[in-house]
Amino acid sequence: KKILTIAGTRPQLVKIAAVSRVLRQSFEEVLVNTGQHYDYNMAGVFFDELNIPKPDYDLGIGSDSHGRQTGKMLIAVEEVVEKEQPDVILVYGDTNSTLAGATVASKLHIPIVHIEAGLRSYNKKMPEEINRILTDHVSTLLFAPTDVAVSNLENEGINNGVYQVGDVMYDAVQFNMELAEQKYKLSYFGLEHKSFVLGTIHRADNTDNKDRLEAILRAFASIEEEVYLPLHPRTKSKIEQYGFEPILEQARNITVVAPISYLEMLLLEKHAKAIVTDSGGVQKEAYFAKVPCVTLRDQTEWVETIDSGWNQLVNPLKVDLGTILSNLTDGKPIEGLYGDGKSAREIVSIMHDYFK
Ligand code: UD1
């Protein structure tokens, strides 16, 4: 059977790396890269470092408004699908690339497999939330990473084809942590074990709101700990647009760098004193690394990380990061919360039985 995988952003490449190596043992896979992320440090480095197979199609769509970006993807993906005639279309997560793949497949009556199904933040202003809901409602097989994701789907009347398989991002961490430690040393980054805060900010909610972005930068600048801040291109351009560079330049404790690779990120997560983020994936990686996480958002779709005590939601407009950091406590890991690191194998085995 032929599986057509559609992806195009940094977090999807991490998941593909975990799944493709197993998938290709049982299926023929055609890989389509939409090009939603296109800078070398947002995409190319992930292909190289994680040994992801070279895409069969590079659509080169790049950045645009949501409508135009998704629309261009629809046109280009449909052409590929008509040419390749796949038996199944595989999509990951919640990006515009996910939605485009799912939409094309549903119109052409091709079964859709959605990995990371059922997540909800219950905030429909997030583009990702719309992408998740729409994709789940047209999917044939829905691979949910947690029990909460399964019950979110049940609440929307989706009961068929739902499997709780754990999280492929946990597979990715298990596979790559040792490689990260072999390849990089903390001293390369000029950092010391448990003495720094690792920050990542890129959600439109935070970056495209001047007050929130300013509050976040000032919060980083206000603390004693060193802050290591790999800056997403969206965030960088908003900082320039709003003229916030002086906040970063005047802060002695902040090191701004370009986006770093996955292996570098894993290493820094492990050694951080705390992680401050608005990313979904990074919240979970903090949990896997047993590092306290402060999530600068009003909701999260990864509610288990909060329940376990390793993560807390903080409104960026009200954040007192210094007080939060001086009161950090460890959470309690919950056995098997995100699976056993063998999610990809389970997914492929279910797909094998279903599509044989
Ligand atoms: C996307 C996903 C989000 C995911 C995130 C991970 C959607 C709606 N959002 O958001 O779910 O968590 O990726 O990073 O699909 N840019 C570059 N170079 C790049 C990529 C982006 O300069 O390689 C800039 C562009 O100015 C662009 C902006 O970043 O306008 C935002 O890019 P976009 O494709 O909208 O996605 P993300 O914000 O990264």
Side-chain angles (χ1 to χ4, degrees), residues 9-12 35-43 62-64 66 69 73 93-98 126-128 131-132 202-204 207 232-235 237 279-281:
T9 65
R10 181 166 71 166
Q12 288 166 330
Q36 179 171 348
H37 285 171
Y38 44 91
D39 290 343
Y40 180 74
N41 57 26
M42 293 289 287
S63 308
D64 215 322
H66 283 280
Q69 185 180 62
M73 288 178 190
D94 59 14
T95 73
N96 290 342
S97 301
T98 315
M126 287 176 76
E128 292 85 356
N131 294 341
R132 291 178 197 123
H202 78 272
R203 284 257 104 71
T207 59
H232 188 286
R234 169 199 283 284
T235 316
S237 78
S279 153

Side-chain angles (χ1 to χ4, degrees), residues 310-325:
W310 286 100
N311 189 12
Q312 52 184 308
L313 286 176
V314 180
N315 179 339
L317 291 171
K318 299 184 190 142
V319 61
D320 175 357
L321 203 51
T323 307
I324 292 173
L325 292 177

Side-chain angles (χ1 to χ4, degrees), residues 29-320:
E29 184 182 37
V30 175
L31 183 57
V32 179
N33 176 16
T34 62
Q36 179 171 348
H37 285 171
Y38 44 91
D39 290 343
Y40 180 74
N41 57 26
M42 293 289 287
V45 65
F46 290 78
F47 279 98
D48 293 348
E49 194 177 73
L50 301 176
N51 282 317
I52 298 171
K54 199 180 145 8
D56 300 279
Y57 295 88
D58 274 308
L59 304 182
I61 308 277
S63 308
D64 215 322
S65 67
H66 283 280
R68 276 197 298 263
Q69 185 180 62
T70 314
K72 286 181 198 165
M73 288 178 190
L74 290 175
I75 296 168
V77 169
E78 189 179 61
E79 276 171 21
V80 173
V81 171
E82 278 171 346
K83 184 163 165 236
E84 289 288 338
Q85 298 286 324
D87 300 294
V88 180
I89 290 190
L90 172 59
V91 295
Y92 291 83
D94 59 14
T95 73
N96 290 342
S97 301
T98 315
L99 178 64
T103 306
V104 168
S106 67
K107 300 275 180 185
L108 296 174
H109 310 301
I110 299 170
I112 300 163
V113 173
H114 186 203
I115 295 183
E116 212 179 72
L119 296 181
R120 298 291 181 266
S121 65
Y122 295 97
N123 174 2
K124 283 197 182 161
K125 288 208 173 121
M126 287 176 76
E128 292 85 356
E129 183 77 352
I130 303 299
N131 294 341
R132 291 178 197 123
I133 295 174
L134 297 179
T135 301
D136 284 339
H137 280 258
V138 292
S139 291
T140 306
L141 289 185
L142 300 96
F143 291 115
T146 60
D147 293 337
V148 173
V150 173
S151 62
N152 290 339
L153 291 169
E154 274 167 16
N155 291 340
E156 292 173 26
I158 304 176
N159 300 299
N160 293 332
V162 177
Y163 296 89
Q164 208 273 55
V165 291
D167 193 329
V168 297
M169 283 190 72
Y170 188 46
D171 295 25
V173 170
Q174 301 276 79
F175 190 86
N176 288 298
M177 185 51 100
E178 221 178 288
L179 291 175
E181 286 176 313
Q182 280 163 11
K183 189 159 176 196
Y184 299 107
K185 295 277 164 285
L186 198 55
S187 53
Y188 297 170
F189 301 88
L191 296 167
E192 279 170 36
H193 182 65
K194 299 293 166 193
S195 74
F196 66 97
V197 169
L198 179 63
T200 80
I201 298 295
H202 78 272
R203 284 257 104 71
D205 245 13
N206 285 331
T207 59
D208 299 8
N209 177 319
K210 203 173 170 190
D211 294 340
R212 281 172 87 104
L213 186 57
E214 180 172 6
I216 291 168
L217 298 179
R218 291 204 185 280
F220 283 135
S222 73
I223 59 175
E224 279 175 15
E225 289 82 355
E226 186 162 4
V227 177
Y228 199 80
L229 193 61
L231 216 51
H232 188 286
R234 169 199 283 284
T235 316
K236 179 168 187 279
S237 78
K238 288 290 172 181
I239 288 172
E240 287 160 8
Q241 184 188 324
Y242 297 143
F244 289 157
E245 297 100 321
I247 304 177
L248 295 173
E249 284 156 14
Q250 284 156 21
R252 294 224 178 121
N253 65 327
I254 304 180
T255 305
V256 176
V257 295
I260 56 180
S261 75
Y262 179 65
L263 296 184
E264 291 174 301
M265 192 68 187
L266 284 187
L267 187 85
L268 294 192
E269 283 167 348
K270 184 176 173 181
H271 290 285
K273 171 179 174 178
I275 294 174
V276 179
T277 190
D278 60 9
S279 153
V282 174
Q283 288 173 58
K284 270 181 304 170
E285 285 167 356
Y287 172 82
F288 299 147
K290 305 287 168 281
V291 173
C293 185
V294 178
T295 297
L296 296 177
R297 282 173 52 183
D298 302 324
Q299 313 85 6
T300 179
E301 48 286 346
W302 301 105
V303 287
E304 312 77 14
T305 58
I306 310 272
D307 300 341
S308 73
W310 286 100
N311 189 12
Q312 52 184 308
L313 286 176
V314 180
N315 179 339
L317 291 171
K318 299 184 190 142
V319 61
D320 175 357

